[in-house]
Amino acid sequence: GATWEDRAAVEALDIAVEPGTGQRVLATVQGGTALSTDGGRTFAPPTGPQLAYVSWAPDGTVYGLDLDS
């Protein structure tokens, strides 16, 4: 059984967790993509393009799909 822990409350369309440590988390939110460096406890203000979906590949590459696909 897994144990869940409440973290930051963000209104995100999608969330991607960095493979490995899981300390960096990306959330696609209004205004861009927000980054957490503490496992989702807090998020920095959003930056970059507005994305609909985001995926973190095992090699560290991040792929995103904008609102126009």
Side-chain angles (χ1 to χ4, degrees), residues 33-64:
T33 302
L35 172 66
S36 171
T37 58
D38 59 9
R41 288 176 182 82
T42 60
F43 283 86
T47 61
Q50 185 70 53
L51 299 175
Y53 300 102
V54 63
S55 179
W56 216 314
D59 69 357
T61 304
V62 175
Y63 296 94

Side-chain angles (χ1 to χ4, degrees):
T3 301
W4 294 94
E5 180 181 321
D6 287 338
R7 301 288 174 110
V10 293
E11 292 185 30
L13 179 59
D14 196 19
I15 293 177
V17 179
E18 178 184 31
T21 68
Q23 288 303 300
R24 294 195 305 169
V25 180
L26 294 172
T28 59
V29 298
Q30 185 71 19
T33 302
L35 172 66
S36 171
T37 58
D38 59 9
R41 288 176 182 82
T42 60
F43 283 86
T47 61
Q50 185 70 53
L51 299 175
Y53 300 102
V54 63
S55 179
W56 216 314
D59 69 357
T61 304
V62 175
Y63 296 94
L65 195 63
D66 69 13
L67 299 177
D68 295 325
S69 298

